[in-house]
Amino acid sequence: MGCASSQFVQQLDDLKQQINSLQQNSIDYLHNIIQQATLQRITLNLSIAKSQIEEIESFVEKSGDTELQAHFYNEYANILINQQDYSASLKKYNLAKQAIFKEKLLLLPIQVNIAQNWAEMLQDAYTELSDKQVVQAWQTLQETIQLLSQSQNNENHALSLHLSQITQQFYQSPYFSAQQKKHLFTQSYQLLKNIQTDDFYQKSYVAGYMAQLYQQQTRYQEAIDLTKQAIRFAQKIQDNYALYLWQDQLGQLREKTQQRDLAMIAYQQAIFYFNQIRATVLTTNHQPIKDKKFYEAQGQTYFRLIRLLSQKSQSIQDQKQTQCYVAQMSQLFELFNQGELEEYYQDECLAERHFAKVSADLLLQNCQHGTQLLDEAYQAFFTSPHFDDTTATLYIFKLNQQQLGLILRLANQVFLHTVDAPKLAKARKGFISQVKQSGSHINNIFEHGQQLYQYFIQPIKQQLEQYKINTLLFVSHDRLRTIPFAALHDGEHFLVEDYAVVVLPFMPKEAFIDKTTKNHILLSALTAGENALTFAGVEVNAIHQHYEHYHILDGKAFTRQDLLNETQKMPYSVIHLATHGKFGNQVNQSYLQTYGQHIFMDDLKNINMMNSFKDSPIELLTLSACETSVNSSQAALGFSGIAIQAGAKTALGSLWQVSDLSTCYLMESFYENVQKMPKAQALQQAQIELLTGNIKPNSYCFEQDSPKGYQSPYYWAGFQLVGYWR
């Protein structure tokens, strides 16, 4: 698979040129603007899509062209439903329907869209629906089925397939009685049965959706047979999207019938096909591949397989085979994290720049068969150039709503623990809330920190002590990424007092040679303009004392363009940005602030891609005043990938902003420490100095002001090292 962003960019560029050549607000011009908004929606740039649509609304209304109006309101509604604004989207769909009510061929797709809207509401917003709206949803579905039945022809087969799936979404709703659900089963069955076609694509979906109907009736063997048939049809046309859907469906059916080994094979195949289609994510017009729910669904496939592997590993006696299955779990988890990160940054090649592209295709088979293959798989997993005997990786993930899975990876073995964690969500939220407040009572922090310590660290404590581990690498997912692990507490000590803490999205692919202490450092500070940082100037002046070669951008000289230009002049091994940074739910909501401007994540990518000094990549990127939404797993994901996006081997950043001289000192101490020890230990030492009050004498940061008490984790726990730790 190659990188796949240029085609989408080209489509937009071509469309913009075409729009510029047309008379403004002409019918053709307006049609092209709608198409442009559609492309933006497909790639989830929803705010841009909505803005483009809103700008032409008055001109569309005045045009008098009913077909144009129908397309306009239909697209407007599609954008709104993607934003989960269901009430507003229904109004737009009904306007589209009114525009061409007499033209049934054009009306049908819109009518099906309206039914889909109701299906989405029944699934995602069912607690907000009134009884009247539920009745309206039912009437809309019945009206749509009747309209489609009256207009059945080859052109409408795709709509019949779509509507049959919508009918099944209604079937899963808790609103409807057993009698209504029986009626829905009959209607959906008839829609599928009426499709007589030689098209393998349509045959595949007919069989697959029919299997879902049988699954709802707990007629599992019939469902399995039909799903296998759907797979065979999809294989004939190499439809990877359909193959993903049906292999995942087959896995769930195998699991329900206790055929766990066969279920694992099906899930593995589903993951294989999903990764085949990921190359086209940025260029395809197939909306389900773009849909957030599609990515959530494939995430569930990963964790269904991980759960089965966990059960398998605990049911066998052979130690090497057990280790092989646990290793497979960790690789699948990394593969899932890679996909999430690349989706956040909309960059399929992101992980390949500095991290191993995990391939889990053969390991499961090797775990199940002969000694030679097992030995090869085992050796391949534990051949790691960057691991040493004192470093351990802890993978943390949810097995279900009540249980955590912990995988502890050492230099030459892995351990699996399952932990009951019924209060995890409450403990995480309470812990972060307390840690982020400088005035929080330390006992409140201890309470939540000890609860999380019991979940994450206590189960592996004996092994950490037995193997004399001093560096812990955390690989987690979802909102667990937002936890400042350094502040976990065992009742006597914070975790950082015992271990250097590093967070990773997944493991590096090679043992990097650290050059942090060599060459040049570029220091930038927001010291002027709106939201200038009080201590940023002191911070960069304190840091440059430890580097012979440095350059400072501050005041009005710290602009987006000055930063980009400077990185092309010199092979900087370290870039330090003392400025505001924010990570949002989407990459276009994440930025760093310069004087009067923002640096977006694409700018960091440009620093990497346009680097004239490829033989001297960035060793360390530091963002000393970041802020990441602790309630957003996506924002934390963006933070974890910042080093990779910028082409840096390591990033040091903060989960929340600390406007105090303590940040200046932590950075000053870190850069002094890193001259003589690995980066992970350099950060650990700086954090402990603040925690214990053991401030180095002659600190530049505290020349004008005496240090106060910094025991609270608020001052030091939010700083995290991401990426390579040596």
Side-chain angles (χ1 to χ4, degrees), residues 515-516 518-525 539-540 543 547 549-553 558 562-579 592 599 603-608 611 613 616-624 642-643 646-653 667 670-671:
K515 301 175 183 176
T516 308
K518 303 180 180 69
N519 297 328
H520 300 74
I521 182 170
L522 174 61
L523 296 150
S524 302
E539 181 180 315
V540 296
I543 294 167
Y547 286 84
H549 304 289
Y550 65 90
H551 184 78
I552 296 177
L553 294 174
F558 178 34
D562 286 330
L563 179 65
L564 294 175
N565 290 342
E566 189 60 37
T567 57
Q568 303 308 307
K569 295 178 182 178
M570 189 74 65
Y572 289 104
S573 59
V574 182
I575 297 177
H576 182 99
L577 302 174
T579 184
L592 305 172
I599 300 174
D603 292 320
L604 293 178
K605 181 179 176 181
N606 289 337
I607 290 175
N608 176 36
N611 188 359
F613 310 100
S616 303
I618 301 167
E619 299 292 334
L620 174 65
L621 172 68
T622 299
L623 311 172
S624 64
I642 189 69
K649 295 171 182 176
T650 311
L652 172 59
M667 292 297 160
F670 168 76
Y671 281 103

Side-chain angles (χ1 to χ4, degrees), residues 344-345 436 579-593 598-601 604 623 625-630 635-636 638-639 642 654-655 657:
Y344 179 87
Y345 279 107
K436 283 188 65 178
T579 184
H580 298 284
K582 185 177 180 64
F583 291 91
N585 289 328
Q586 296 180 8
V587 68
N588 57 11
Q589 298 170 344
S590 301
Y591 62 85
L592 305 172
Q593 188 171 338
H598 287 162
I599 300 174
F600 290 97
M601 296 303 106
L604 293 178
L623 311 172
C626 298
E627 186 171 353
T628 304
S629 172
V630 297
F639 174 75
I642 189 69
S654 58
L655 291 174
Q657 183 181 325

Side-chain angles (χ1 to χ4, degrees), residues 341-347 350 583 587 601 638 641-642 645:
L341 196 63
E342 290 172 344
E343 172 60 17
Y344 179 87
Y345 279 107
Q346 292 288 287
D347 183 351
L350 185 70
F583 291 91
V587 68
M601 296 303 106
I642 189 69
Q645 177 74 346

Side-chain angles (χ1 to χ4, degrees), residues 501-520:
V501 173
V502 180
V503 295
L504 294 169
F506 34 82
M507 295 300 294
K509 67 180 177 182
E510 59 180 310
F512 296 129
I513 299 172
D514 188 10
K515 301 175 183 176
T516 308
T517 61
K518 303 180 180 69
N519 297 328
H520 300 74

Side-chain angles (χ1 to χ4, degrees), residues 226 270 302 317 395 410 565 575 671:
L226 278 166
Y302 276 95
Q317 300 300 317
Y395 300 86
L410 304 177
N565 290 342
I575 297 177
Y671 281 103

Side-chain angles (χ1 to χ4, degrees), residues 135-146:
V135 171
Q136 189 179 351
W138 177 267
Q139 291 173 341
T140 299
L141 180 64
Q142 300 306 309
E143 177 186 345
T144 309
I145 291 172
Q146 182 179 9

Side-chain angles (χ1 to χ4, degrees), residues 34 60 65-76 92-93 95-101 106-107 110:
I34 295 169
V60 170
D65 189 310
T66 55
E67 184 177 347
L68 172 68
Q69 291 169 347
H71 285 303
F72 170 81
Y73 287 118
N74 190 48
E75 180 53 39
Y76 201 161
K92 300 302 180 184
Y93 278 133
L95 286 173
K97 182 177 172 181
Q98 292 168 18
I100 50 167
F101 188 78
L106 289 175
L107 176 61
I110 295 171

